[in-house]
Amino acid sequence: MNNILNVFRNNKNKKKIISEIKEQSLVLQTETKEELELRIEKLKLRAKKENLNEILADWFAITQEMSFRTLGLKHFETQLLAGIFLHEGNIVEMKTGEGKTLASTLPLTLNALTKKGAHLITVNEYLAERDQKFMGKLYSALGLTSGLSIPSYSRDEKRKSYSKDITYVTNSEVVFDFLKDSTSYSINDLVLRDFNYCLIDEVDSILIDDSRTPLILSESTGRVKNEMKLYIAHQVATQLKPNIHFKVDLKTRQVNIEFEGLQKIKELLKQEDLFNPMTSCMLEILNSLQAIYLQARDKQYMIQDNKIAIIDETSGRVMSDRRWSQGLHEAVEVKEKLEIGDESAVKASMTYQNFFTIYEKMSGMSGTVKTSAKEFKEIYKLNVVEVPTEKPMIRKDKQDVVVSSEEIKMKEIINIVRECFIKGQPILIGTLDVKKSEKIADLLKIERIPYQLLNAKPENVARESEIVALAGKRGAVTIATNMAGRGTDIILGGNPVYNSKEKLRKLLLTRKTGKDILSTFSFEDSKEYLSFEEQIENIYSEYNENSNLNNLEIDLKTLPYSLENCLPSFKKLYNFLYQEEQKICQKENAFVKELGGLFVLGTERGSSRRIDNQLRGRAGRQGDPGTSVFYISFDDDLLKVYGNLQTAKVLAGESDLQNPFLTRGIAKAQERVENQFFDGRKVVFEYDDILNEQRKKFFKTRQNLLLSTNSINQFVALTEAFTDLLFRKESIQPPIKANPKLAEMKKYYEFENWVGPYSSITSTDLPKSIGIGLNHYNEIWISTDLRNSEMNNYNFKKLDNLILENVLKVMDTAWTEHLKRMEYTRQTVNWLAYGQQNPLLIYNNRCVDSYGTLWEQIRYSMIYYFLTDSIVK
């Protein structure tokens, strides 16, 4: 409570608002459902006329009351405070278990009153679907609609979802939906509307960790990359020796070839000129070296269905929809002896950094954003606000333990796991990659200690919510690769909802062995046992009569959300099981608390403090006890690359070290990594800034054409403008000093290329027309009219759509070429720094020139199309 009082001292206005909400809440508790519904309608009318800030306290109070009535959950003061900050467009830090999901309903519903839409952006489909179903009951009670957009939905289903007042969607899905809309050829394929308000869950994961990675919408060119070149490059790379022929920079994750390396490559390839653009494979060799020495299997990627699947190093999840660019992905495929993917052309691409700036208002929340406040302010112009915990934090965060080698570290980790397991204290072991998680799993197998493993492998991802739900049980041992955005809270003693669901699933889906399962339950007398068996029979009978057994499986899978619509017998049995499990879990909760709560053991420090805080935050939830400690060795990547702990190495020897000097040194190493990554993201943002502005203008022009009710007139107007610009440009050209007759003949010839079967000018008119200044508008109008009259025997709407599609294809082709030019420029422009030139300035200038070339290509194509090209072939 003291924490929130400190916040109120600095935010007196917030204290006043929350006092108003609490006063309103007392009144609302006494009102009937009908009276509340009337209040809701009045507030909706006010929202049409007044600023949302003026109805904030009233709306938050009624949302709080409806939440309690529909969900049984009432917003804490800290959640109300978070809701205010989120509505104002801030990034809010709320610790794990403090109820971010419930807090999000306040700004979402308030901003949804504008009827412009509000998006809740989350990091995975499971969270999006879970939260939309659960919170959907509250939204419905408030008279608001909610929807969900996931990859399996059709375009029609997505359009309906985005038309709802509140839409839940993953970060990648909403970007791809935008890119697909931006490249569609029919108005019927569009799914999104204007971007109003978005609230980003796990905002640091999306806007920082994933911010630099472009999401690419591509199409296959039908061509395969030069496989021979790739295989030769790989063979050459395997014969080069590190620190002799090349150096690996682990900080920048780059490979630099030395002079000796160039000589060796010349010898192996039998080439003197390694940089001849026709024969060079230096880029492929560099990619091969990076694939071998910097891209580690089960750390940066894994093999899934005989394909390279990139692993998100922050969340530990597989990003199956992504490929590394600039040939690196192909180099890794060659390294792993897999089939090389087809060459693809980029239709459209966008980074999260740029996409989320489209929203009129944006806010975000996470348990670990305070350390990134500077970046949010500089890049996104967003303030970070820390909301205190509802109950005091009593978790014990021990100083890091530093040992001399990886082997010693593993022994000590296993010893701690054994101690926790024997006494029954649940332990969560955090790793940074798949390989290390499986190494610890193998060691625990030898020790015969049962465990649960959560990493990027599909068989483990499928059980994610189950594994996390079980991690707080007595004696639970859980190994997890990163813990960002897992969504499910770790409840000490076990999760009664999950336990009830599992028991019900076993009883109903393994009906033949139902008696064996029932024998594991405790019943006070045999009558209760028999009644229990009868309930199972009743469920099967009721589903056979009123529904079908497929619906029974669906209801089981979607528990507890299916309780609203399932059959009465099913609900009755679940409620009985839940009450029993709740009693058991309450006893287990008290027992685990006495043992010290959840023990979090980090096996190494991450590249940023946020990653460590995400793991550490799993303990000490809502005032629970807990312990966290990190074990570190001098073999860890962080210390090898960024550490400066030579003194500590001397002190360490074979013994453990725990002192503030080491902790500060490790923190400094993490700060260096964070600063380096921040600088890298800032550079990407600066380079993409001008391209992003061009993207917005281009896509807006394209969308206006697509949405136009009379696209023919739009095209004619554009062609007029383009033609006018073309001839005006020619008229201001300096006089040609060459032979005047030759120049005049050239101009006649060029003009003849523009006029075709629809022209009103004959070849004999050309000299006179050019001499007095051609009225090119007449040519466009005549051409268009003759075209339309020629199509009178055909469907005019079809003609309109055909012209629209052709023009949009012209525009898309020009845009793709622009992206190719800028990608090539981006790869080469940094070399100019060696010549004392500013790469960013040159890149921006070339981007402007390339954008001019883009519209020039469109201009020429459209003029030609409207003056000469015949629709009826």
Side-chain angles (χ1 to χ4, degrees):
M1 186 59 69
N2 288 334
N3 289 338
I4 198 163
L5 288 176
N6 289 333
V7 174
F8 284 151
R9 286 192 191 100
N10 299 323
N11 296 273
K12 292 182 180 179
N13 184 46
K14 304 292 186 298
K15 183 180 180 180
K16 181 183 176 184
I17 294 171
I18 288 179
S19 295
E20 289 177 19
I21 295 170
K22 290 167 76 174
E23 288 173 14
Q24 288 253 23
S25 182
L26 294 173
V27 176
L28 296 175
Q29 289 172 21
T30 64
E31 294 192 350
T32 64
K33 180 184 176 184
E34 290 72 22
E35 288 172 327
L36 287 177
E37 288 174 351
L38 183 60
R39 276 184 180 267
I40 290 169
E41 291 307 312
K42 286 181 178 178
L43 284 172
K44 287 180 179 179
L45 290 173
R46 285 180 61 190
K48 293 179 180 179
K49 303 173 185 177
E50 301 176 35
N51 188 291
L52 292 179
N53 295 330
E54 295 175 22
I55 65 168
L56 185 147
D58 294 339
W59 184 259
F60 277 23
I62 208 162
T63 302
Q64 184 187 47
E65 179 61 25
M66 294 305 289
S67 173
F68 183 71
R69 295 192 186 191
T70 56
L71 306 176
L73 300 172
K74 190 170 185 176
H75 299 79
F76 299 141
E77 278 194 19
T78 52
Q79 291 170 321
L80 294 172
L81 183 62
I84 297 169
F85 283 127
L86 289 168
H87 168 68
E88 290 175 345
N90 296 298
I91 303 294
V92 171
E93 176 170 296
M94 292 180 74
K95 301 301 182 188
T96 301
E98 289 299 305
K100 291 190 291 291
T101 305
L102 187 61
S104 69
T105 61
L106 297 166
L108 280 173
T109 53
L110 179 60
N111 283 274
L113 295 178
T114 63
K115 291 299 176 182
K116 295 178 182 178
H119 293 173
L120 189 288
I121 312 292
T122 187
V123 291
N124 64 55
E125 288 176 42
Y126 164 73
L127 292 179
E129 192 166 0
R130 182 200 70 178
D131 293 348
Q132 188 269 328
K133 284 180 179 176
F134 187 54
M135 295 303 166
K137 291 181 282 187
L138 169 59
Y139 302 143
S140 180
L142 290 168
L144 299 171
T145 57
S146 64
L148 174 72
S149 177
I150 53 178
S152 59
Y153 279 12
S154 66
R155 300 299 283 175
D156 284 338
E157 288 173 316
K158 282 176 174 286
R159 189 182 305 106
K160 289 175 184 175
S161 294
Y162 284 120
S163 68
K164 304 290 186 183
D165 296 317
I166 298 166
T167 307
Y168 282 74
V169 60
T170 63
N171 48 313
S172 60
E173 194 63 18
V174 70
V175 177
F176 279 122
D177 284 337
F178 173 74
L179 294 178
K180 287 172 184 175
D181 272 11
S182 301
T183 55
S184 60
Y185 296 118
S186 170
I187 194 172
N188 296 323
D189 291 333
L190 302 180
V191 299
L192 286 157
R193 50 178 171 158
D194 289 341
F195 294 90
N196 177 41
Y197 172 71
C198 77
L199 198 171
I200 307 173
D201 191 16
E202 302 300 340
V203 65
D204 48 344
S205 177
I206 296 170
L207 291 188
I208 292 181
D209 299 325
D210 290 342
S211 63
R212 289 192 297 175
T213 306
L215 281 85
I216 298 170
L217 190 66
S218 59
E219 58 184 358
S220 176
T221 61
R223 301 189 301 271
V224 179
K225 288 186 179 290
N226 190 331
E227 291 190 16
M228 184 61 70
K229 215 176 192 182
L230 292 169
Y231 287 119
I232 290 172
H234 179 72
Q235 290 299 318
V236 170
T238 56
Q239 296 183 62
L240 300 179
K241 297 178 181 178
N243 298 322
I244 297 175
H245 299 127
F246 64 91
K247 287 185 179 178
V248 178
D249 189 336
L250 294 173
K251 288 185 181 180
T252 60
R253 294 189 61 78
Q254 289 182 343
V255 175
N256 299 307
I257 296 178
E258 302 288 297
F259 177 76
E260 290 79 4
L262 292 174
Q263 299 306 309
K264 182 67 175 177
I265 294 170
K266 285 180 181 181
E267 177 189 324
L268 292 169
L269 293 177
K270 296 182 173 53
Q271 288 181 7
E272 273 305 312
D273 185 1
L274 295 179
F275 299 97
N276 185 324
M278 301 302 293
T279 58
S280 176
C281 60
M282 286 302 295
L283 178 61
E284 287 79 6
I285 292 172
L286 282 168
N287 280 332
S288 293
L289 289 170
Q290 186 169 343
I292 295 168
Y293 293 96
L294 289 172
Q295 305 302 322
R297 185 170 174 175
D298 290 337
K299 187 169 185 178
Q300 277 77 32
Y301 69 91
M302 62 190 300
I303 297 176
Q304 199 175 90
D305 300 325
N306 288 321
K307 292 180 180 179
I308 299 297
I310 300 172
I311 296 175
D312 184 333
E313 293 185 50
T314 304
S315 68
R317 291 190 175 88
V318 170
M319 301 185 291
S320 55
D321 57 347
R322 300 191 191 172
R323 286 178 69 87
W324 286 304
S325 60
Q326 301 177 26
L328 177 59
H329 207 95
E330 290 78 6
V332 177
E333 287 171 332
V334 171
K335 167 191 167 184
E336 295 292 350
K337 300 178 181 177
L338 298 173
E339 183 180 349
I340 299 170
D342 288 350
E343 189 178 82
S344 59
V346 177
K347 286 180 69 178
S349 69
M350 206 169 199
T351 61
Y352 292 126
Q353 277 181 329
N354 290 312
F355 172 75
F356 285 104
T357 61
I358 299 173
Y359 283 90
E360 191 174 321
K361 182 166 72 173
M362 171 174 64
S363 62
M365 55 188 185
S366 177
T368 51
V369 289
K370 198 64 182 172
T371 56
S372 302
K374 179 184 175 184
E375 183 164 352
F376 279 114
K377 187 66 176 176
E378 285 194 26
I379 300 294
Y380 302 104
K381 307 296 185 286
L382 296 171
N383 294 316
V384 173
V385 183
E386 188 176 7
V387 173
T389 55
E390 177 68 16
K391 296 178 181 178
M393 174 69 71
I394 60 173
R395 183 186 65 228
K396 296 176 183 176
D397 296 328
K398 295 184 177 181
Q399 284 189 352
D400 297 347
V401 178
V402 182
V403 298
S404 58
S405 69
E406 183 73 10
E407 185 180 352
I408 294 171
K409 181 171 72 173
M410 284 296 127
K411 286 180 182 178
E412 300 220 4
I413 287 170
I414 298 303
N415 287 337
I416 292 175
V417 174
R418 190 188 298 110
E419 288 174 16
C420 288
F421 178 70
I422 290 170
K423 70 178 181 178
Q425 183 177 15
I427 183 168
L428 173 65
I429 307 156
T431 70
L432 295 182
D433 58 72
V434 175
K435 189 175 285 186
K436 185 162 286 186
S437 69
E438 295 191 330
K439 181 180 180 180
I440 293 171
D442 290 339
L443 292 172
L444 291 179
K445 276 182 189 174
I446 295 169
E447 294 289 326
R448 296 183 179 178
I449 297 175
Y451 62 86
Q452 294 290 331
L453 178 61
L454 176 56
N455 59 26
K457 292 203 169 178
E459 62 270 23
N460 297 322
V461 171
R463 297 178 56 242
E464 179 177 315
S465 59
E466 171 194 345
I467 293 169
V468 177
L470 295 171
K473 290 185 72 173
R474 183 197 300 211
V477 178
T478 309
I479 309 164
T481 304
N482 294 317
M483 289 300 294
R486 296 295 177 190
T488 306
D489 285 340
I490 298 176
I491 302 173
L492 299 183
N495 187 322
V497 173
Y498 177 79
N499 291 349
S500 306
K501 179 179 177 179
E502 276 302 288
K503 282 190 176 180
L504 188 57
R505 187 183 66 81
K506 288 176 181 177
L507 282 167
L508 295 176
L509 296 186
T510 57
R511 191 179 175 193
K512 291 180 181 178
T513 57
K515 289 185 178 180
D516 296 330
I517 295 170
L518 285 171
S519 65
T520 65
F521 298 162
S522 58
F523 297 104
E524 292 180 3
D525 54 46
S526 58
K527 288 182 180 179
E528 190 177 0
Y529 178 93
L530 291 172
S531 171
F532 200 65
E533 271 204 315
E534 287 173 6
Q535 286 187 57
I536 297 170
E537 293 301 323
N538 287 340
I539 289 172
Y540 274 96
S541 299
E542 195 171 358
Y543 271 87
N544 274 325
E545 290 173 14
N546 300 291
S547 181
N548 59 63
L549 293 182
N550 287 335
N551 286 346
L552 175 59
E553 289 192 34
I554 292 169
D555 286 345
L556 277 168
K557 185 179 178 181
T558 56
L559 273 170
Y561 315 115
S562 57
L563 292 176
E564 294 294 313
N565 303 309
C566 66
L567 296 180
S569 56
F570 181 91
K571 187 174 183 178
K572 181 181 177 183
L573 183 53
Y574 172 83
N575 287 337
F576 172 81
L577 288 171
Y578 179 76
Q579 290 170 8
E580 292 297 310
E581 281 300 323
Q582 202 170 30
K583 294 174 189 174
I584 295 168
C585 288
Q586 283 174 354
K587 291 178 183 177
E588 286 293 299
N589 180 273
F591 180 80
V592 172
K593 282 182 177 178
E594 286 180 12
L595 294 174
L598 180 67
F599 193 111
V600 171
L601 196 161
T603 59
E604 63 183 293
R605 283 286 191 173
S607 57
S608 75
R609 289 165 290 177
R610 284 187 305 101
I611 295 173
D612 297 338
N613 291 340
Q614 285 161 1
L615 175 63
R616 182 170 265 158
R618 290 292 161 176
R621 170 187 171 274
Q622 293 187 3
D624 285 344
T627 304
S628 73
V629 66
F630 283 83
Y631 269 73
I632 299 163
S633 81
F634 292 114
D635 295 329
D636 292 349
D637 289 344
L638 180 71
L639 297 193
K640 280 196 297 186
V641 179
Y642 295 94
N644 185 19
L645 304 174
Q646 295 304 316
T647 307
K649 282 188 178 181
V650 174
L651 291 171
E654 293 296 318
S655 61
D656 300 348
L657 279 178
Q658 278 183 294
N659 62 52
F661 166 74
L662 288 173
T663 303
R664 285 196 300 270
I666 292 162
K668 287 289 183 186
Q670 286 182 308
E671 281 185 43
R672 284 193 286 273
V673 180
E674 289 168 1
N675 290 335
Q676 180 186 312
F677 286 172
F678 170 52
D679 290 342
R681 287 189 290 266
K682 193 173 181 181
V683 167
V684 170
F685 186 77
E686 288 171 345
Y687 271 94
D688 204 30
D689 191 37
I690 187 168
L691 189 61
N692 187 47
E693 288 304 312
Q694 293 173 349
R695 182 188 293 112
K696 287 178 183 177
K697 291 176 183 176
F698 180 84
F699 284 169
K700 187 67 178 175
T701 303
R702 191 187 188 285
Q703 189 179 47
N704 288 341
L705 283 173
L706 191 59
L707 297 176
S708 172
T709 54
N710 192 337
S711 53
I712 289 287
N713 289 344
Q714 286 266 14
F715 303 145
V716 170
L718 270 175
T719 311
E720 288 172 357
F722 289 167
T723 312
D724 186 53
L725 184 62
L726 173 71
F727 278 85
R728 189 170 71 246
K729 179 182 174 183
E730 288 188 353
S731 67
I732 62 174
Q733 292 289 331
I736 301 172
K737 295 181 180 179
N739 188 319
K741 288 188 177 181
L742 188 63
E744 190 177 13
M745 286 175 63
K746 183 181 177 185
K747 200 161 191 177
Y748 294 164
Y749 174 75
E750 287 177 351
F751 187 75
E752 280 181 316
N753 286 331
W754 292 113
V755 295
Y758 303 114
S759 175
S760 65
I761 300 175
T762 64
S763 57
T764 56
D765 294 328
L766 280 173
K768 183 180 178 182
S769 301
I770 293 173
I772 63 173
L774 176 68
N775 186 347
H776 44 270
Y777 291 143
N778 283 337
E779 291 308 304
I780 297 168
W781 300 332
I782 293 167
S783 173
T784 304
D785 289 342
L786 290 173
R787 251 175 212 255
N788 293 344
S789 63
E790 185 177 339
M791 287 297 294
N792 277 341
N793 296 327
Y794 298 86
N795 185 326
F796 185 77
K797 186 63 180 174
K798 186 176 180 181
L799 168 65
D800 198 12
N801 291 338
L802 185 58
I803 294 173
L804 172 63
E805 186 174 331
N806 285 343
V807 170
L808 293 178
K809 283 180 178 177
V810 165
M811 294 179 71
D812 289 345
T813 301
W815 178 253
T816 301
E817 291 300 316
H818 176 53
L819 291 181
K820 283 182 182 177
R821 287 192 296 270
M822 296 322 300
E823 176 63 22
Y824 176 77
T825 303
R826 182 73 183 88
Q827 292 176 32
T828 58
V829 74
N830 284 332
W831 291 99
L832 297 170
Y834 291 104
Q836 305 300 311
Q837 299 181 67
N838 185 335
L840 179 60
L841 181 61
I842 293 169
Y843 177 86
N844 285 344
N845 289 337
R846 291 185 182 177
C847 199
V848 171
D849 292 342
S850 179
Y851 194 62
T853 302
L854 171 149
W855 283 108
E856 194 165 311
Q857 288 174 343
I858 296 171
R859 187 180 302 133
Y860 275 90
S861 298
M862 286 187 69
I863 296 169
Y864 174 82
Y865 181 75
F866 273 90
L867 289 179
T868 69
D869 191 35
S870 175
I871 293 294
V872 185
K873 300 292 185 184

